[in-house]
DNA sequence: AGAACAATTGACAACGTTGTCATCATTACT
DNA sequence: AGTAATGATGACAACGTTGTCAATTGTTCT
């Protein structure tokens, strides 16, 4: 493996200058920088993180605050965080408690770079206030809260919900039930908005009877769907705000003897592992949790004092599988 | 943080001797070793992996071969492997291809310590043969194959299946359906054996009609259960060889209008995330995948030439949740 | 006892990077 | 134009460990 000394020789500068370029320090002439970067590229240089961590006195720990009942969510996030940390030579410390004391003690540790908050903690006012006072950087996942504290990373939940609703409308569905997520989550609001806007834009009426309250759990999806299917004017499609509730909706449909997607279409949201583990496999919205968290780690890793309070919006995609089909004629 | 030099001062030896003790090298007098270990304990020493990795020329990469359709399985394993690697200062390289060429190229890399094989690759004869010839150590997960090649790590699937079957029998169930797993997996055989032995030991007859072939997928659990429930002599309980099939079984029960656990008890196996995401939550067998894989990493990390071909059997536990209840009187 | 050998321990370099400080080049100011 | 301030670069030490090899101690054999 090439070292910065090899690069230095090739570029005709001192190895310290190479180090400066690679660490994006100021006070390097653009021409010099370019020479170094070219040489690094040719030699296919990769930082030796062991050496860097040994010598560097920079903080290297990222504190991940996570408290989500869904184990698969927790796992995905943890995996992404770990991969991100590995990439940037950082260490991860994982926490499920987020009281003032815990956060303060983490923040006072000189090793700690900053925090990553996952929903619903991302929108917890107390935590946000505590962190703001402590002057440690933090990144909030899955929220685009207007209040500009810290950096936020999310997808455009509203647009995604809009698109998947429009997809159902395109299949001929006119009565589309909606199962809301847990009230503590900001995504709950945005997904509902997207659904409502899509109906409106396509000349359909928004009926409150077709909108039920869930909490992101399988059981709530089951119960909500039972309620929706007992309406006199039954929906021909159901939009569950996440995949677990969609799985519950599937079970409720089976219970009623409705075939999916023949008699009822069901869509979820997230493209979590459950979406493929279920029969029929769910049409859903893919958001890459691991991308999200890797981005969060990257932001903290490359933190400069100037780039605070941005909002990063990542891509999403409709995933069409087997749980959706044309609406039945009524 | 204390260094080996601090320990050396406290123990009155040279820092090189401390290094030797901590690396479990030979040729250290027992008394010296003890002095060093005591000093290390008092100072609460922790190895600086950055420094170690920088200087050490030992290989540091573990190749993980994984090809499992279940995303949640893949995630758990990857997470455990990453945590294990972090703990031992190693790097993980992940592979879903396992043809001869891929394996050979990984093995020829001097950086590679060894391989971890996950089911069903753990029992793939071709792979095992290739690896044996390449003389790189490997650890096989989820198998206790009698053929003693490489180290194997597993739980006692047979005993676990026995116990959960006996639990059902204890609830009064006399007709217990069984859904087999995918044929490529060795666990499939052992879980079936445990089921059969429990029936036999409790004076129940083993009926082939009550045993159906699945493949670990939700869909196969659904179909198998439908078949079992259409028998003239219906089972009052169903033992699915994993949680995904148990989830499918739940859906089939709903479809038939059977309440779980009132009219039908269902048990799964693995205690995967799905077991809690489903309603009612599944009674199942917990096996800690992450423990399993961490152990695998540890074995490779501390590899000595002498301890090959062992079989490590980890603990399991019955997890009683809401999908099981007393048998209906017939 | 003395020689030969093995076991045990230590001195010191080296890994590839960042931190500190010194030096040289350039710009800004009087 | 001369001086001060700033920008750009370099020389070298240092991080905490392992690798190499030499020095010391203990053991075995003649």
């Amino acid at each position: 493996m090439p070292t910065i000394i090899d690069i230095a020789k090739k570029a005709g500068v001192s190895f310290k200058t190479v180090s400066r370029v690679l660490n994006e320090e100021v006070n390097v002439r653009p021409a010099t920088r370019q020479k170094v970067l070219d040489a690094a590229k040719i030699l296919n240089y990769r930082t030796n993180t062991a050496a860097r961590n040994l010598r560097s006195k920079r903080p290297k720990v990222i504190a991940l605050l996570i408290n989500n009942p869904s184990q698969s969510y927790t796992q995905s996030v943890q995996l992404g965080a770990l991969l991100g940390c590995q990439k940037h030579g950082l260490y991860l410390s994982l926490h499920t408690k987020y009281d003032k004391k815990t956060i303060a003690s983490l923040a006072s540790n000189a090793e700690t770079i900053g925090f990553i908050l996952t929903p619903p903690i991302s929108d917890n006012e107390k935590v946000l206030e505590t962190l703001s006072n402590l002057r440690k950087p933090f990144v909030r996942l899955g929220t685009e809260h207007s209040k500009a504290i810290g950096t936020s990373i999310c997808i455009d939940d509203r647009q995604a919900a809009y698109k998947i609703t429009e997809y159902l409308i395109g299949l001929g569905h006119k009565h589309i039930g909606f199962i809301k997520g847990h009230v503590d989550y900001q995504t709950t609001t945005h997904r509902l908005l997207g659904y409502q806007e899509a109906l409106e834009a396509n000349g359909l009426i928004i009926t409150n009877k077709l909108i039920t309250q869930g909490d992101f759990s399988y059981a709530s999806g089951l119960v909500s769907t039972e309620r929706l299917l007992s309406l006199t004017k039954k929906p021909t499609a159901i939009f569950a705000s996440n995949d677990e509730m969609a799985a519950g909706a599937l079970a409720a449909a089976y219970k009623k003897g409705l075939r999916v997607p023949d008699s009822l279409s069901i869509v979820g949201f997230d493209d979590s592992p459950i979406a493929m583990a279920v029969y029929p496999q769910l049409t859903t919205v893919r958001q890459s949790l691991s991308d999200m968290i890797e981005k969060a780690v990257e932001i903290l890793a490359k933190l400069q004092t100037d780039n605070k309070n941005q909002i990063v919006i990542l891509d999403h995609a409709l995933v069409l599988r087997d749980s959706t089909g044309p609406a039945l004629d009524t």
Side-chain angles (χ1 to χ4, degrees), chain A residues 204-215:
Chain A
L204 299 176
I205 9 161
I206 300 169
T207 324
N208 277 334
K209 279 191 181 166
L210 283 175
I211 301 176
T212 65
Q213 183 69 53
D215 63 4

Side-chain angles (χ1 to χ4, degrees), chain A residues 123-143:
Chain A
D123 287 306
N124 182 309
E125 294 288 347
K126 259 194 186 169
V127 171
L128 292 177
E129 200 195 314
T130 309
L131 279 172
S132 304
N133 292 336
L134 289 168
R135 303 181 175 280
K136 278 270 181 179
F138 57 95
V139 176
R140 301 157 65 198
L141 249 55
T143 180

Side-chain angles (χ1 to χ4, degrees), chain A residues 3-8 11 13-28 32-33 36-37 40 45 47 51-52 55-56 58:
Chain A
T3 73
I4 60 174
I5 298 183
D6 300 324
I7 299 179
V13 296
S14 80
F15 69 89
K16 178 68 227 197
T17 300
V18 175
S19 169
R20 267 191 270 263
V21 171
L22 295 176
N23 286 286
E24 297 175 20
E25 286 177 28
V26 291
N27 291 347
V28 177
T32 313
R33 174 185 305 279
V36 170
L37 289 177
Y45 171 79
T47 311
R52 164 177 298 183
R55 186 62 172 106
S56 162
R58 292 181 222 164

Side-chain angles (χ1 to χ4, degrees), chain A residues 129-327:
Chain A
E129 200 195 314
T130 309
L131 279 172
S132 304
N133 292 336
L134 289 168
R135 303 181 175 280
K136 278 270 181 179
F138 57 95
V139 176
R140 301 157 65 198
L141 249 55
T143 180
E144 41 177 326
H145 207 293
S146 53
K147 193 189 281 187
I149 322 182
T151 299
S152 300
I153 304 182
C154 59
I155 63 164
D156 190 336
D157 278 285
R158 202 155 146 180
Q159 197 200 335
Y162 186 100
K163 288 199 303 202
I164 202 165
T165 307
E166 207 158 49
Y167 168 69
L168 288 172
I169 296 172
L171 286 172
H173 295 281
K174 294 190 161 54
H175 297 275
I176 304 174
F178 185 86
I179 310 177
K180 292 198 272 184
H182 194 286
V183 287
D184 285 352
Y185 291 67
Q186 193 198 115
T187 48
T188 294
T189 315
H190 286 127
R191 289 176 195 173
L192 175 62
L193 277 173
Y195 158 80
Q196 291 173 326
E197 286 169 8
L199 292 187
E200 214 162 34
N202 286 274
L204 299 176
I205 9 161
I206 300 169
T207 324
N208 277 334
K209 279 191 181 166
L210 283 175
I211 301 176
T212 65
Q213 183 69 53
D215 63 4
F216 284 141
S217 75
Y218 182 97
S220 75
L222 183 79
V223 172
S224 296
T225 304
E226 281 177 342
R227 195 169 310 145
L228 289 171
L229 292 179
S230 67
L231 292 173
T232 39
K233 191 75 183 173
K234 272 182 223 164
T236 61
I238 291 179
F239 176 1
S241 292
N242 77 345
D243 290 340
E244 295 199 7
M245 294 199 296
L250 276 177
Y254 280 129
K255 201 169 170 179
K256 276 263 180 183
L258 293 177
R259 297 185 71 91
V260 176
D262 306 344
S263 316
L264 181 69
S265 287
I266 293 177
V267 303
F269 204 107
D270 288 347
D271 197 24
S272 73
I274 217 174
M276 305 258 305
V278 127
Y279 181 83
Q281 299 190 334
L282 291 173
T283 291
T284 186
V285 172
R286 169 173 302 155
Q287 63 166 323
S288 173
L289 273 178
S290 48
D291 284 1
M292 221 149 136
I293 188 114
E294 273 200 46
K295 185 77 192 169
V297 173
E298 190 187 324
I299 286 174
L300 287 176
K302 296 192 174 171
L303 200 67
Q304 311 293 342
T305 37
D306 55 337
N307 60 358
K308 280 179 181 172
N309 300 350
Q310 53 173 326
I311 293 184
V312 179
I313 297 186
L314 299 180
D315 283 344
H316 62 262
L318 241 60
V319 183
L320 307 182
R321 296 210 184 91
D322 310 326
S323 67
T324 46

Side-chain angles (χ1 to χ4, degrees), chain A residues 112-129:
Chain A
T112 305
I113 300 179
F115 294 80
I116 297 178
L117 314 186
T118 55
I121 308 179
S122 335
D123 287 306
N124 182 309
E125 294 288 347
K126 259 194 186 169
V127 171
L128 292 177
E129 200 195 314

